[in-house]
Amino acid sequence: VPVLLHNPTLSHMAGINVAIDSITEEEAKQFDLRGQTITSLEEFIAYCKANLITPYIELKTETIHPEDQVKMIFDIVEKYEMVGKVEWISFSSDLLRMVAQYDQTDMLGFLAGSKSDVSDIQSNVKAILLLNYLCFQQVYSFHQTKHS
């Protein structure tokens, strides 16, 4: 189940070194993250739709099955009729190309840590270069909990 969490472990937010992909969604929701709980992607997309918010989805490069991850996330976006209303971002042009296979209307943003990363952008990917990590208020990244 895709959840909102920037890092692949809970060490930064909960102070314990537990990988998010090693626990179930129910287990993940029990952790106190500085007064908050972990939110599922589906809850987040539903909230964005209800409140007319453009979600930014960062696709992580550490995923084991990237095609499955992109498809699972896109299916949730599609379920809530949010196609065309999402900003997809990643340090991987390959992941952005996967999104473009499903959706050619949403904005794709290539993240670069330095100008040398620009060479990774391929001509068939519509991309925005965002230097020095991120230039907007808050980004939610998605990791997957293990299947229940």
Side-chain angles (χ1 to χ4, degrees):
V1 174
V3 295
L4 277 64
L5 190 67
H6 186 74
N7 298 314
T9 70
L10 297 171
S11 60
H12 181 69
M13 293 297 293
I16 54 170
N17 193 21
V18 172
I20 193 67
D21 63 0
S22 70
I23 59 176
T24 66
E25 179 183 11
E26 293 75 29
E27 292 169 329
K29 288 187 174 288
Q30 293 177 14
F31 290 101
D32 178 18
L33 306 179
R34 300 179 186 165
Q36 301 198 17
T37 59
I38 292 175
T39 303
S40 73
L41 171 65
E42 192 156 351
E43 292 168 327
F44 175 67
I45 295 298
Y47 179 85
C48 289
K49 179 177 174 111
N51 293 282
L52 304 173
I53 297 171
T54 300
Y56 282 77
I57 299 176
E58 180 182 357
L59 300 170
K60 292 298 203 170
T61 57
E62 300 91 10
T63 185
I64 297 172
H65 303 286
E67 297 88 359
D68 296 339
Q69 177 194 29
V70 170
K71 175 71 169 125
M72 183 185 310
I73 293 170
F74 182 78
D75 287 348
I76 293 169
V77 168
E78 190 173 46
K79 174 182 176 181
Y80 287 89
E81 300 174 343
M82 291 291 286
V83 175
K85 300 171 184 165
V86 173
E87 302 278 337
W88 299 86
I89 60 176
S90 182
F91 284 98
S92 167
S93 60
D94 291 335
L95 291 173
L96 293 174
R97 268 195 290 287
M98 288 178 206
V99 170
Q101 291 176 355
Y102 295 107
D103 178 15
Q104 298 182 2
T105 60
D106 281 327
M107 184 63 71
L108 305 178
F110 179 75
L111 301 176
S114 69
K115 290 183 181 182
S116 63
D117 289 342
V118 176
S119 63
D120 191 38
I121 299 174
Q122 302 297 318
S123 60
N124 62 336
V125 175
K126 177 176 69 174
I128 296 173
L129 178 61
L130 302 174
L131 292 174
N132 298 322
Y133 204 56
L134 304 173
C135 63
F136 38 85
Q137 290 183 343
Q138 190 167 9
V139 172
Y140 293 98
S141 304
F142 298 94
H143 293 279
Q144 187 172 335
T145 58
K146 73 178 183 178
H147 296 319
S148 303

